């Protein structure tokens, strides 16, 4: 595997899920693969889970790991070509990428949507430069449009907890005071549509996700109706994807105070099939989900986060096998 961005990069999902369970049974059995190999994890944005779980996954495989927080201690990077660099950015990404690549064997990058230009974000301008100029396998640790390590961990978690062969999985928008990217819902939708689940998306009008990720998905604008009979409820906020009105890209369309009915509470969970609650974390309690629901025994947020180590290990293992 040279790039991990989309569900298609992992191949047959049944094979990937079986491999995840094999990793879980004995995560230290492939230490020979990473001997004298180095993973470089580059963060343009904050992280708790991705930072720790990906380091742990690489160490499980016997690798050395270097973590770079670009905004803390490195030179400030210019990312646009053709810019006269007379401002506060001392180094260009086009030199920095091959330099960083010379110190490692595989690269993970986190670089969120900047909301300056929908085209730039949806073209994945930053991550594509790493793919083009590093000469190394590159995995996405949440980019402008996708978070595949999270979606893979979510799928592993659903597989481990499902009670029937084709569970109903509902992804619901929920309120948030700030504008958040669409990477998590895009990837979750992409992976659920490829998996053997009955997938429904619910959100207020105006928050339609990009068709490249949700084409063919069942969208139900009535949240209570969407929740009926659900086996898994996956909550997430996202800002306007700008599909129908590009000028609204990255905006919060309504004052969140008027949208608090969308916060996942016992009221909505009561119409589900005793659903398991999921969220990628970090989560704002009593905005996205009530204390009661996230603390209930049916909540899967902790096993979901623990599975981030497993999804990362499968991906890094496959990249090491392809070196
Ligand atoms: N879910 C997730 O990616 O968490 P972090 O932002 O803390 O890495």
């Amino acid at each position: 595997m040279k790039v991990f961005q989309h569900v298609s990069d992992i191949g047959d999902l049944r094979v990937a899920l079986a491999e995840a369970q094999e990793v879980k049974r004995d995560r230290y059995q492939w230490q020979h693969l990473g001997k004298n190999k180095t993973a470089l994890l580059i963060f343009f944005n904050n992280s708790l889970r991705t930072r720790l779980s990906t380091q742990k996954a690489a160490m499980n495989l016997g690798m050395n790991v270097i973590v770079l927080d670009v905004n803390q201690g490195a030179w400030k990077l210019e990312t646009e070509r053709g810019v006269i660099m007379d401002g506060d950015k001392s180094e260009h990404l086009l030199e920095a990428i091959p330099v960083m690549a010379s110190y490692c064997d595989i690269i993970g990058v986190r670089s969120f949507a900047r909301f300056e230009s929908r085209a730039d974000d949806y073209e994945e301008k930053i991550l594509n430069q790493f793919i083009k100029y590093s000469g190394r396998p590159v995995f996405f640790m949440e980019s402008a449009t996708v978070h595949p390590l999270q979606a893979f961990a979510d799928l592993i978690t659903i597989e481990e907890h499902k009670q029937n062969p084709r569970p109903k999985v509902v992804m619901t928008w929920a309120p948030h005071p700030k504008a958040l990217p669409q990477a998590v819902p895009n990837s979750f939708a992409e992976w659920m549509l490829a998996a053997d689940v009955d997938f429904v998306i619910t959100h207020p009008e105006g928050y339609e996700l990009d068709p490249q990720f949700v084409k063919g998905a069942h969208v139900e604008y009535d949240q209570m109706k969407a929740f009926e009979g659900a086996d898994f409820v996956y909550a997430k906020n996202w800002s306007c994807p700008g599909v129908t009105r590009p000028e609204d890209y990255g905006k919060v369309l309504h004052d969140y105070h008027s949208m608090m009915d969308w916060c996942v509470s016992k009221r909505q969970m009561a119409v589900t099939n005793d659903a398991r609650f999921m969220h990628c974390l970090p989560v704002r309690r009593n905005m996205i989900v009530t204390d009661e629901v996230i603390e209930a025994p049916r909540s899967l947020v902790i096993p979901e986060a623990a599975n981030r180590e497993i999804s990362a290990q499968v991906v890094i293992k496959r990249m090491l096998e392809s070196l």
Side-chain angles (χ1 to χ4, degrees):
M1 187 193 288
K2 297 296 182 195
V3 173
F4 180 63
Q5 176 177 7
H6 294 294
V7 65
S8 53
D9 296 320
I10 202 84
D12 188 320
L13 282 181
R14 283 166 304 183
V15 173
L17 287 167
E19 198 171 332
Q21 289 312 313
E22 201 187 343
V23 166
K24 238 174 172 173
R25 275 191 290 277
D26 178 7
R27 60 197 73 188
Y28 305 109
Q29 62 180 298
W30 296 278
Q31 294 236 324
H32 57 282
L33 284 178
K35 187 174 163 52
N36 296 333
K37 297 281 191 299
T38 300
L40 173 58
L41 310 181
I42 302 168
F43 289 88
F44 287 84
N45 306 94
N46 295 341
S47 169
L48 187 149
R49 278 144 291 275
T50 305
R51 175 188 303 267
L52 298 180
S53 63
T54 312
Q55 283 187 70
K56 178 66 165 54
M59 292 189 296
N60 293 347
L61 290 160
M63 298 190 82
N64 300 309
V65 186
I66 303 172
V67 179
L68 177 68
D69 285 299
V70 172
N71 298 321
Q72 289 171 17
W75 300 110
K76 211 164 179 187
L77 292 174
E78 176 59 62
T79 56
E80 294 301 313
R81 218 172 147 270
V83 169
I84 297 171
M85 289 175 56
D86 58 356
D88 62 343
K89 294 174 180 165
S90 309
E91 177 151 28
H92 202 287
L93 199 59
L94 292 179
E95 284 79 55
I97 290 173
V99 168
M100 293 188 282
S102 73
Y103 308 135
C104 67
D105 300 281
I106 66 173
I107 299 177
V109 183
R110 164 166 284 201
S111 179
F112 290 173
R114 297 179 174 191
F115 293 141
E116 289 164 7
S117 149
R118 186 182 198 278
D120 285 359
D121 286 344
Y122 271 72
E123 281 166 24
E124 292 289 4
K125 273 183 91 168
I126 305 293
L127 266 292
N128 277 329
Q129 292 190 72
F130 277 92
I131 293 168
K132 191 168 175 188
Y133 297 113
S134 72
R136 300 281 182 264
V138 174
F139 59 97
F140 286 46
M141 299 195 299
E142 188 170 345
S143 68
T145 65
V146 291
H147 196 359
L149 289 171
Q150 181 65 52
F152 186 16
D154 296 334
L155 179 60
I156 294 167
T157 311
I158 289 170
E159 190 66 19
E160 288 173 341
H161 291 88
K162 70 183 187 185
Q163 296 293 315
N164 64 63
R166 192 175 164 81
K168 178 175 177 180
V169 179
V170 176
M171 178 169 78
T172 181
W173 181 94
H176 196 281
K178 292 167 71 174
L180 298 188
Q182 295 105 43
V184 169
N186 284 344
S187 280
F188 188 73
E190 188 184 46
W191 285 67
M192 288 303 114
L193 289 168
D196 195 12
V197 303
D198 174 16
F199 184 52
V200 179
I201 304 173
T202 183
H203 57 72
E205 289 191 35
Y207 287 98
E208 289 76 15
L209 292 163
D210 193 291
Q212 70 175 292
F213 299 105
V214 298
K215 201 162 184 214
H218 174 190
V219 177
E220 169 55 66
Y221 292 106
D222 181 335
Q223 191 193 35
M224 287 300 280
K225 203 168 160 192
F227 271 52
E228 284 171 10
D231 299 296
F232 294 88
V233 166
Y234 192 92
K236 186 73 185 83
N237 172 268
W238 61 91
S239 62
C240 176
V243 171
T244 46
R245 286 171 45 90
E247 62 271 29
D248 284 345
Y249 173 63
K251 288 186 183 163
V252 176
L253 298 179
H254 317 275
D255 181 337
Y256 69 82
H257 294 99
S258 66
M259 305 302 288
M260 293 308 286
D261 272 1
W262 283 79
C263 175
V264 178
S265 68
K266 277 171 71 175
R267 177 178 64 86
Q268 295 102 321
M269 296 303 276
V271 302
T272 68
N273 183 28
D274 199 16
R276 310 305 298 254
F277 175 80
M278 299 178 72
H279 188 279
C280 62
L281 304 181
V283 69
R284 289 186 185 234
R285 284 175 174 227
N286 305 307
M287 289 287 315
I288 301 281
V289 58
T290 61
D291 292 321
E292 278 176 322
V293 171
I294 197 169
E295 290 171 2
R298 304 296 288 168
S299 171
L300 289 176
V301 296
I302 306 304
E304 206 180 337
N307 277 333
R308 290 292 308 276
E309 179 182 339
I310 307 303
S311 64
Q313 188 166 337
V314 172
V315 169
I316 296 170
K317 174 176 166 287
R318 289 195 181 186
M319 288 191 161
L320 288 171
E321 286 166 343
S322 73
L323 285 178

